[in-house]
Amino acid sequence: MFVGKIIGTVVATRKDPKLEGRKLLIVRPLDENMKGKKDYLVAVDTVSAGFHEQVLVVQGSSARMAFGMKDCPVDSAIIGIVDSFVIEDKTGAGQ
Amino acid sequence: MFVGKIIGTVVATRKDPKLEGRKLLIVRPLDENMKGKKDYLVAVDTVSAGFHEQVLVVQGSSARMAFGMKDCPVDSAIIGIVDSFVIEDKTGAGQ
Amino acid sequence: MFVGKIIGTVVATRKDPKLEGRKLLIVRPLDENMKGKKDYLVAVDTVSAGFHEQVLVVQGSSARMAFGMKDCPVDSAIIGIVDSFVIEDKTGAGQ
Amino acid sequence: MFVGKIIGTVVATRKDPKLEGRKLLIVRPLDENMKGKKDYLVAVDTVSAGFHEQVLVVQGSSARMAFGMKDCPVDSAIIGIVDSFVIEDKTGAGQ
Amino acid sequence: MFVGKIIGTVVATRKDPKLEGRKLLIVRPLDENMKGKKDYLVAVDTVSAGFHEQVLVVQGSSARMAFGMKDCPVDSAIIGIVDSFVIEDKTGAGQ
């Protein structure tokens, strides 16, 4: 999993029937200093996440294990609102 | 999932029997400014997408959850036509 | 999926019993101009592909959905011979 | 699988019901010299790993095969505490 | 799949019960000239591979299809000893 920030929304009127009523959010992955990476992905929301919130994202087939997503054509799901993300050892990177 | 643009088609006469009658499209992934990345992938169309349309693409085993794709040998499926892709916070990238 | 070119073969006498009799080919992924990328992968052939042919490759668990590959330990399968790969819009890349 | 080091923790009060009571740790992947890469991921702990320990991490759907993780929305799991990581041939890299 | 070389071993005393008795090897991926890439991964051995041997590695959920690996938390498995790896067309790369 990784931590990301919700930065926008995607609307698709014509779509797979199993996506009806799903909220599709644009998530920017965050690095370990909680700064945004230059990328995005579209994830389905399963925890009523709000704009700008830091969220936990699961990818791959496990996204279908998120609440209410069984057999849905989704490869990324928001499964938690991050309250704290604490790295106690920052000395390790690149050393 | 990610958003891409349909830029072409692939034709394969000799192919897996489960791919008979499937439309295989060439999709160029788009960055967050809706500009094309220098890459492509081949995805099966499940929503009758048209040339140049912006589409939502799902990857991995979840592509087989798209409409009509059960047990098919596909790892990428077009599952929606994107009507709007709105990023409300562009300040985050690289900051 | 992506399009690649068959550039060689792998022979393994001692191998998983489910790979007995399978043809393992070396595939070089092609970019959108049908030029080879500097990389390769080993894929199982399911369509009797020939040397130098351009082929369609599926990856991940969906490789096991290819003809005759059920429950096999393969993560890449050749599932089609590409007759035509036409990009009608080349202006998009990097723009 | 790969070897990483536990460098922190993630707390999420609002989350998928199947994540209740799970310990989510921040893992920094290690290179072959056991130096940290400039990246992280969030993995669920299944072996009571401790801070700073070197651990074995499994990714993808196989993370759900880890002890107690059946059907959980997790794509990375800590499945072992590494006692020794011995590379007997370092001459190979880039040669 | 890809071809790699066995360069070391990982020992983990405390680990997932399904990994008991499994041999975990460090594999360095090889490029098409059989030179080592600057990277490694940890794979479970299913063909009694030996040190320095060139092996075929499968990744993802298909690693669980390797002999004896059903339902195991492994995402990479060694499934063959490579006898020959022959690229008959080296002109393609980057051209």
Side-chain angles (χ1 to χ4, degrees):
Chain A
M1 289 77 79
F2 71 88
V3 174
K5 186 173 67 166
I6 298 173
I7 59 168
T9 53
V10 170
V11 176
T13 307
R14 198 159 95 228
K15 64 189 167 206
D16 191 279
K18 290 184 199 155
L19 289 181
E20 286 298 330
R22 308 296 188 182
K23 190 163 61 164
L24 298 171
L25 297 177
I26 307 170
V27 177
R28 188 189 299 291
L30 298 175
D31 69 16
E32 62 186 70
N33 298 309
M34 296 293 98
K35 288 182 181 165
K37 297 183 179 180
K38 295 209 172 186
D39 204 1
Y40 77 92
L41 56 76
V42 178
V44 65
D45 181 27
T46 72
V47 292
S48 299
F51 186 52
H52 267 311
E53 277 189 305
Q54 291 179 355
V55 292
L56 188 66
V57 178
V58 65
Q59 292 185 282
S61 62
S62 295
R64 303 198 305 266
M65 303 295 135
F67 188 77
M69 289 301 127
K70 190 162 184 287
D71 296 334
C72 280
V74 296
D75 59 18
S76 305
I78 297 169
I79 55 169
I81 311 293
V82 174
D83 296 314
S84 93
F85 178 93
V86 179
I87 292 184
E88 298 171 56
D89 170 21
K90 295 207 173 185
T91 63
Q95 297 191 334
Chain B
M1 290 76 80
F2 70 89
V3 174
K5 186 172 66 165
I6 298 173
I7 60 168
T9 53
V10 170
V11 176
T13 307
R14 198 159 95 227
K15 65 190 165 205
D16 191 279
K18 289 183 199 156
L19 289 181
E20 286 298 330
R22 308 295 189 184
K23 191 164 59 164
L24 298 171
L25 297 176
I26 307 171
V27 178
R28 189 188 299 290
L30 298 175
D31 69 15
E32 63 186 69
N33 298 309
M34 297 293 99
K35 288 181 181 165
K37 297 183 180 181
K38 294 209 172 183
D39 205 2
Y40 77 92
L41 56 77
V42 179
V44 65
D45 180 27
T46 72
V47 291
S48 300
F51 186 53
H52 267 311
E53 277 189 306
Q54 291 178 356
V55 293
L56 188 66
V57 178
V58 65
Q59 291 185 283
S61 62
S62 294
R64 304 198 305 266
M65 303 295 134
F67 189 77
M69 288 301 128
K70 189 162 184 287
D71 296 335
C72 280
V74 296
D75 59 17
S76 305
I78 298 169
I79 55 169
I81 312 291
V82 173
D83 296 314
S84 93
F85 178 94
V86 179
I87 293 185
E88 298 171 56
D89 170 21
K90 294 206 173 185
T91 63
Q95 296 192 334
Chain C
M1 289 77 78
F2 70 90
V3 175
K5 185 172 68 164
I6 298 174
I7 59 168
T9 53
V10 171
V11 177
T13 308
R14 198 159 95 228
K15 65 190 166 206
D16 191 279
K18 289 183 199 157
L19 290 181
E20 286 298 330
R22 308 296 188 184
K23 190 163 60 163
L24 298 171
L25 298 177
I26 307 171
V27 178
R28 189 189 298 291
L30 298 175
D31 69 16
E32 63 187 68
N33 298 310
M34 296 294 99
K35 288 182 182 165
K37 296 183 180 180
K38 295 209 171 184
D39 204 3
Y40 77 92
L41 57 76
V42 179
V44 66
D45 180 28
T46 73
V47 291
S48 299
F51 186 53
H52 267 311
E53 277 189 306
Q54 290 178 356
V55 292
L56 188 66
V57 178
V58 65
Q59 291 184 283
S61 62
S62 294
R64 303 197 306 265
M65 303 295 134
F67 188 77
M69 289 300 127
K70 189 163 185 286
D71 297 335
C72 280
V74 296
D75 59 17
S76 305
I78 298 169
I79 55 170
I81 311 293
V82 174
D83 296 315
S84 93
F85 178 94
V86 179
I87 292 184
E88 299 171 55
D89 170 20
K90 294 206 174 186
T91 63
Q95 296 192 334
Chain D
M1 290 77 78
F2 70 88
V3 175
K5 186 173 67 166
I6 298 174
I7 59 168
T9 53
V10 170
V11 177
T13 308
R14 199 159 95 226
K15 65 189 167 208
D16 191 279
K18 289 183 199 156
L19 289 181
E20 285 298 329
R22 309 295 188 184
K23 190 163 61 166
L24 298 171
L25 297 177
I26 307 171
V27 178
R28 188 189 299 292
L30 298 175
D31 69 16
E32 64 187 70
N33 298 309
M34 296 294 98
K35 287 182 182 166
K37 297 184 179 179
K38 295 209 172 184
D39 204 2
Y40 77 92
L41 57 77
V42 179
V44 65
D45 180 28
T46 72
V47 291
S48 300
F51 186 53
H52 267 312
E53 277 189 305
Q54 291 179 355
V55 292
L56 188 66
V57 178
V58 64
Q59 291 184 283
S61 62
S62 295
R64 302 198 306 265
M65 303 295 134
F67 188 76
M69 289 301 127
K70 189 162 185 288
D71 296 334
C72 280
V74 296
D75 59 17
S76 305
I78 297 169
I79 54 169
I81 311 293
V82 174
D83 296 314
S84 92
F85 178 94
V86 179
I87 292 185
E88 299 171 55
D89 170 20
K90 294 207 174 184
T91 64
Q95 296 193 333
Chain E
M1 290 76 78
F2 70 89
V3 174
K5 185 172 68 165
I6 298 174
I7 58 168
T9 53
V10 170
V11 176
T13 307
R14 200 160 93 227
K15 65 190 166 205
D16 191 280
K18 289 183 199 156
L19 289 181
E20 286 297 330
R22 308 295 188 184
K23 190 163 60 166
L24 298 171
L25 297 177
I26 307 171
V27 178
R28 188 189 300 292
L30 298 175
D31 69 16
E32 64 187 69
N33 298 310
M34 296 293 98
K35 288 182 182 166
K37 297 183 179 179
K38 295 209 172 184
D39 204 1
Y40 77 92
L41 57 76
V42 179
V44 65
D45 180 28
T46 72
V47 291
S48 299
F51 186 52
H52 267 312
E53 277 189 305
Q54 290 178 355
V55 292
L56 187 66
V57 179
V58 65
Q59 291 184 283
S61 62
S62 295
R64 302 197 307 265
M65 302 296 134
F67 188 76
M69 290 299 127
K70 189 163 185 287
D71 296 334
C72 280
V74 296
D75 59 18
S76 305
I78 297 169
I79 55 169
I81 311 292
V82 174
D83 297 315
S84 92
F85 178 94
V86 179
I87 293 184
E88 298 170 57
D89 170 19
K90 294 206 174 185
T91 63
Q95 297 192 332

